[in-house]
């Protein structure tokens, strides 16, 4: 029996001293209480650090703290942890010092040498280079090392021996992606299975996405069963980002039995050490967390928003509330962890805003018990419109001139920018805080929002949630979090609308041009589906009558109700596809950071280029066929 401490720590990216201090404290606190402490992957430097890996001073700082951690094991317990390892005498393919994503095993104040690498660390074999991951940009792996020195890479996936109570214990230690091997040609876990370790350790830095934990259990349970030994999975907590997309790391460190059962699982986002007695044989009763997806989404959004505020050093937030669902959910999430005098809701009506939505915004603030302000924009809009409309701009030599015109569409955008760039920004500065961006993923997909207007703020906490997710989160907040109606029922019932003109009058049932039950799922197929759809696949399914099923439209939703013929369907399809690939890209590039909860969050998880929409030849043929039926 081995007593193992699962060290689920909040990793602070780019702060090796801060991370090492946590580790040193936990090592000191657990002397005599366990045999082995297991920390996460890259727990000293952090994981998502952009190109900070190119700074030699930063690398030396990581090495310094690594040595301090090793020295701290002089009086026990043994420790395994993740850090960057540097071979200053070799180069990466970019010409910079060679770096490895490495694990280090230390005991009695000394490092255990890897038995086949003959280095004071082990090296990650599989470097993910997809979605938000770009390990191969910075790190060398065992596959390249093997090729360089002419040895099989399998030689470097080797158990290391740890003496426990006078008995040698063979540990198979791997890092995160090494267990997610199924789509790789090289399979480290299969190699370990042939070498029969007594215990397998997986040190991870694994960000949360919806449904991720269930997949982890399937993957790691299968690997434990394959190897035939217990498996200890240790993941970090905290938030990290790649400059554009913010990720929560949910921890959920877990011990699996030799036959793949879950023996113990730490709570999501918990920080601390859980000590587990791990047997190297036998079968144990297991418990598996059964959180619903909406619970996980809520926890990620709340945790991510709170920790991001903490990381930028502020506790005050301004939320522009319209009386609609997006701003209401944002406000309710912030109200969970901010004090009443740290949250200011601001309603900014014009003549197009109904008394219905204005009253709903006020009721929301009353229910949350936070600060509230109503700051009309009609007067300032009038000044801007008067200043610009019919103004004649003339070149200084008098040769060229043009007359400005504030048409309806321009005036709609002026309202949004007056609320965001002028008023909310000024209110936040006066309040000593920041203001939130309340946009959702459907709007971001097609750029249905005004740059520097409602697409502005310090963070888009709902930017990776489809509209139906926002409604579900609102229901969850009322029913499970607050257990009372903080978001008024009228907000769920009111027609979603920007209320920027008389054509969006909510009391007349007029609102956004998006049909959310349909467009949510259409846009999902473009952005998140594994085999990402284009208009070609969509039109093909429309013509053969399978589109409603293919998109998973709600029961009872009929396309014919909204698009009575092929022409109207195609017009709508091409409108949004052109926006998604056109101006919406420019808006997303300039949008606030997005808090990721799914695969393919906008930013570095959904990489794109500025171009224009194109349609395949097959689509053009299908279109011609559809319009002539």
């Amino acid at each position: 029996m081995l007593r193992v401490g699962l060290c689920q720590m909040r990793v602070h990216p780019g702060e090796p001293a801060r991370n090492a201090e946590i580790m040193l404290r936990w090592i000191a606190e657990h002397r005599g209480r366990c045999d082995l402490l297991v920390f996460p992957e890259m727990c000293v430097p952090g994981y998502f650090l952009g190109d900070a890996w190119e700074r030699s001073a930063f690398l030396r700082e990581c090495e310094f703290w690594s040595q301090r951690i090793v020295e701290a094991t002089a009086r026990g317990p043994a420790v395994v942890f993740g850090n960057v390892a540097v071979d200053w005498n070799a180069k990466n393919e970019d010409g910079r010092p060679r770096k490895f994503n490495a694990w280090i095993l230390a005991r009695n104040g000394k490092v255990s040498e890897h038995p086949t690498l003959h280095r004071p660390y082990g090296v990650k074999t599989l470097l993910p280079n997809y979605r938000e991951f770009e390990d191969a940009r910075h790190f060398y792996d065992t596959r390249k090392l093997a090729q360089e020195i002419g040895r099989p890479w399998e030689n470097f996936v080797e158990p290391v021996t740890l003496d426990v109570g006078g008995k040698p214990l063979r540990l198979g230690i791997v890092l995160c992606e090494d267990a997610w091997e199924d789509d790789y040609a090289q399979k480290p876990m299969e190699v370990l299975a042939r070498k029969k370790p007594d215990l397998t350790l997986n040190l991870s830095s694994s960000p949360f996405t919806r449904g991720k934990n269930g997949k982890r259990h399937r993957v790691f349970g299968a690997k434990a069963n394959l190897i035939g030994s217990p498996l200890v999975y240790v993941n970090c907590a905290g938030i990290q980002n790649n400059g554009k997309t913010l990720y929560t790391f949910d921890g959920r460190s877990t011990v699996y039995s030799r036959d793949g059962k879950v023996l113990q699982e730490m709570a999501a986002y918990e920080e601390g050490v859980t000590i587990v007695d791990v047997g190297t044989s036998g079968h144990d009763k297991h418990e598996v967390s059964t959180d619903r997806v909406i619970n996980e989404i809520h926890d990620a959004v709340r945790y991510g928003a709170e920790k991001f505020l903490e990381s930028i050093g502020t506790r005050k937030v301004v939320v522009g509330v319209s009386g609609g669902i997006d701003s209401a959910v944002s406000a309710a999430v912030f109200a969970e962890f901010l004090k009443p005098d740290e949250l200011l809701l601001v309603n900014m009506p014009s003549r197009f805003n109904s008394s219905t939505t204005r009253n709903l915004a006020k009721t929301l603030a009353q229910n949350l018990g936070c600060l509230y302000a109503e700051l009309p924009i009609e007067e300032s809009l009038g000044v801007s419109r008067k200043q610009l409309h019919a103004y004649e701009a003339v070149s200084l030599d008098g040769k060229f001139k043009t007359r400005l015109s504030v048409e309806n569409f321009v005036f709609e955008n002026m309202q949004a920018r007056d609320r965001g760039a002028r008023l909310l920004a000024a209110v936040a500065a006066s309040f000593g805080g920041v203001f939130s961006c309340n946009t959702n993923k459907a709007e971001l997909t097609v750029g249905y929002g005004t740059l520097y207007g409602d697409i502005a703020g310090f963070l888009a906490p709902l930017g990776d949630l489809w509209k139906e997710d926002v409604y579900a989160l609102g229901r969850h907040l009322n029913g499970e979090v607050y257990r009372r109606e903080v978001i008024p029922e009228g907000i769920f019932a009111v027609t979603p609308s920007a209320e920027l003109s008389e054509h969006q009058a909510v009391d007349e049932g007029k609102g956004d041009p998006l049909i959310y039950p349909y467009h949510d799922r259409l846009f999902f197929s473009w952005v998140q589906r594994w085999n990402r759809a284009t208009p070609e696949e969509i039109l093909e399914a429309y013509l053969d009558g399978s589109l409603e099923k293919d998109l998973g439209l709600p029961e009872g939703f009929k396309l014919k109700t909204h698009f009575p013929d092929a022409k109207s369907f195609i017009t709508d399809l091409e409108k949004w596809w052109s926006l998604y690939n056109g101006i919406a890209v420019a808006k997303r590039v300039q949008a606030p950071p997005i808090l990721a909860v799914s695969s393919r969050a906008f930013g570095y998880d959904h990489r794109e280029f500025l171009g224009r929409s194109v349609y395949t030849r097959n689509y053009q043929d299908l279109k011609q066929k559809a319009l002539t039926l």
Side-chain angles (χ1 to χ4, degrees):
M1 189 72 70
L2 181 72
R3 178 155 285 192
V4 179
L6 282 62
C7 300
Q8 187 166 292
M9 62 179 286
R10 177 184 174 187
V11 172
H12 301 273
E15 300 187 58
R18 188 176 182 184
N19 294 325
E21 286 168 3
I22 296 170
M23 298 171 68
L24 291 170
R25 184 175 73 250
W26 286 1
I27 291 169
E29 290 172 352
H30 289 84
R31 288 192 178 111
R33 297 180 58 192
C34 61
D35 302 305
L36 176 67
L37 289 178
V38 184
F39 287 90
E41 175 188 26
M42 286 293 187
C43 57
V44 175
Y47 187 45
F48 289 147
L49 297 179
D51 287 342
W53 302 110
E54 297 173 358
R55 299 168 182 159
S56 294
F58 177 74
L59 299 176
R60 289 193 296 270
E61 181 78 354
C62 293
E63 288 183 320
F64 170 82
W65 287 108
S66 192
Q67 184 56 37
R68 288 288 306 277
I69 293 163
V70 171
E71 292 168 358
T73 67
R75 292 186 290 136
V79 169
V80 60
F81 64 97
N83 196 3
V84 58
V86 187
D87 184 345
W88 296 99
N89 297 315
K91 291 184 178 181
N92 268 356
E93 292 172 333
D94 62 358
R96 291 185 168 87
R98 182 169 295 177
K99 298 171 286 292
F100 301 97
N101 184 336
W103 57 261
I104 298 164
L105 175 64
R107 187 173 190 187
N108 298 326
K110 297 179 181 179
V111 171
S112 296
E113 183 179 89
H114 191 280
T116 52
L117 278 172
H118 303 298
R119 295 170 182 255
Y121 49 80
V123 174
K124 192 173 185 177
T125 297
L126 305 179
L127 300 182
N129 192 30
Y130 54 84
R131 292 187 49 216
E132 69 269 27
F133 304 105
E134 50 182 12
D135 291 37
R137 178 181 174 90
H138 301 290
F139 302 112
Y140 223 65
D141 61 38
T142 56
R143 296 172 295 178
K144 289 180 180 178
L145 273 176
Q147 185 178 28
E148 187 175 75
I149 63 179
R151 292 178 61 188
W153 69 270
E154 293 91 340
N155 287 8
F156 302 137
V157 181
E158 188 71 28
V160 60
T161 300
L162 176 70
D163 183 81
V164 180
K167 181 180 178 181
L169 186 72
R170 285 164 45 82
L171 300 177
I173 307 175
V174 292
L175 292 165
C176 200
E177 188 77 0
D178 289 340
W180 300 82
E181 63 187 0
D182 292 355
D183 293 323
Y184 289 88
Q186 298 82 16
K187 302 188 185 301
M189 301 300 272
E190 290 187 5
V191 173
L192 268 184
R194 295 197 295 269
K195 299 183 179 182
K196 301 187 182 305
D198 299 311
L199 175 66
T200 304
L201 307 178
N202 182 280
L203 285 59
S204 281
S205 187
S206 178
F208 165 82
T209 53
R210 65 171 76 193
K212 180 77 167 283
N213 203 49
K215 188 172 184 179
R216 286 187 192 127
H217 286 327
R218 291 192 295 274
V219 169
F220 285 99
K223 300 309 177 186
N225 188 56
L226 169 71
I227 295 171
S229 70
L231 188 152
V232 174
Y233 163 82
V234 176
N235 189 27
C236 62
I239 59 167
Q240 301 189 44
N241 69 85
N242 51 25
K244 189 64 180 175
T245 314
L246 177 70
Y247 295 91
T248 65
F249 288 73
D250 57 337
R252 293 183 181 265
S253 302
T254 303
V255 179
Y256 299 87
S257 67
R258 60 183 297 181
D259 56 352
K261 302 291 194 303
V262 173
L263 302 182
Q264 185 152 347
E265 178 183 353
M266 293 183 69
Y269 305 108
E270 176 185 359
E271 298 172 40
V273 180
T274 293
I275 297 176
V276 181
D277 290 321
V278 180
T280 56
S281 63
H283 307 268
D284 298 90
K285 185 178 179 181
H286 66 283
E287 296 180 2
V288 179
S289 62
T290 56
D291 287 352
R292 292 184 299 134
V293 170
I294 194 61
N295 292 19
E296 293 186 332
I297 290 174
H298 164 263
D299 292 349
V301 171
R302 182 199 185 282
Y303 181 84
E306 181 177 15
K307 298 306 179 186
F308 188 63
L309 274 174
E310 182 182 311
S311 72
I312 62 175
T314 186
R315 285 282 301 180
K316 291 187 173 183
V317 176
V318 174
V319 180
V321 287
S322 62
I325 189 66
D326 299 316
S327 58
V329 169
S330 288
V333 169
F334 284 116
E336 286 189 70
F337 58 85
L338 294 176
K339 297 176 182 177
D341 61 349
E342 294 173 333
L343 178 62
L344 171 57
L345 308 191
V346 182
N347 183 248
M348 298 160 286
S350 73
R351 67 178 182 272
F352 301 119
N353 293 93
S354 67
S355 59
T356 299
T357 53
R358 291 170 70 172
N359 289 334
L360 287 170
K362 188 178 294 185
T363 302
L364 172 70
Q366 185 176 37
N367 292 349
L368 293 175
C370 61
L371 301 171
Y372 180 75
E374 185 172 290
L375 303 174
I377 62 171
E378 194 66 39
E379 183 178 350
S380 60
L381 283 171
V383 171
S384 296
R385 189 168 197 171
K386 182 178 180 181
Q387 184 179 28
L388 295 177
H389 192 63
Y391 180 84
E392 188 174 68
V394 183
S395 65
L396 294 180
D397 60 6
K399 292 182 179 180
F400 307 100
K401 60 183 178 180
T402 188
R403 192 172 295 277
L404 304 181
S405 177
V406 180
E407 303 298 338
N408 289 341
F409 180 71
V410 175
F411 190 58
E412 290 180 15
N413 284 325
M414 285 173 60
Q415 293 171 64
R417 290 195 181 96
D418 198 56
R419 290 185 172 111
R422 183 185 70 86
L423 200 48
L424 281 178
V427 170
S430 303
F431 187 50
V434 292
F435 71 98
S436 70
C437 175
N438 303 324
T439 190
N440 61 62
K441 194 165 190 174
E443 294 170 347
L444 278 173
T445 298
V446 292
Y448 183 61
T450 302
L451 200 57
Y452 319 126
D454 43 350
I455 302 180
F458 85 104
L459 176 70
L462 309 182
D464 198 26
L465 274 66
W466 301 103
K467 191 74 167 186
E468 66 178 2
D469 295 328
V470 179
Y471 278 109
L473 182 53
R475 292 292 185 192
H476 178 76
L477 286 162
N478 277 359
E480 302 296 329
V481 177
Y482 288 96
R483 298 187 181 277
R484 60 187 177 88
E485 189 180 289
V486 293
I487 300 175
E489 184 59 32
I491 287 180
F492 293 96
V494 73
T495 301
S497 175
E499 290 191 298
L500 297 174
S501 73
E502 63 273 7
H503 302 296
Q504 295 179 321
V506 296
D507 290 337
E508 299 174 23
K510 300 175 182 177
D512 295 343
L514 291 164
I515 306 164
Y516 288 107
Y518 165 63
H519 286 118
D520 263 2
R521 289 162 173 79
L522 175 67
F523 301 162
F524 178 95
S525 75
W526 297 349
V527 178
Q528 280 183 230
R529 203 159 73 179
W530 181 254
N531 292 313
R532 293 170 62 193
T534 69
E536 178 182 321
E537 290 85 3
I538 298 301
L539 187 53
E540 191 171 39
Y542 172 81
L543 289 173
D544 68 21
S546 65
L547 185 59
E548 291 172 356
K549 181 179 179 181
D550 185 54
L551 293 181
L553 297 181
E555 186 176 351
F557 186 95
K558 298 299 180 185
L559 285 170
K560 280 284 187 184
T561 304
H562 302 278
F563 309 109
D565 52 35
K567 182 179 179 181
S568 60
F569 176 81
I570 289 171
T571 298
D572 179 84
L573 178 65
E574 292 187 355
K575 170 187 175 180
W576 299 119
W577 178 256
S578 294
L579 287 169
Y580 167 54
N581 291 286
I583 189 63
V585 180
K587 291 182 178 182
R588 288 193 290 271
V589 168
Q590 299 177 73
I594 291 166
L595 202 166
V597 298
S598 73
S599 57
R600 294 296 175 156
F602 286 123
Y604 276 93
D605 191 4
H606 179 275
R607 304 192 189 192
E608 43 196 344
F609 69 100
L610 295 163
R612 65 187 186 93
S613 293
V614 294
Y615 298 89
T616 63
R617 286 177 296 171
N618 195 37
Y619 172 79
Q620 300 291 358
D621 292 341
L622 289 168
K623 177 180 176 180
Q624 185 176 8
K625 175 183 175 182
L627 294 177
T628 55
L629 286 176

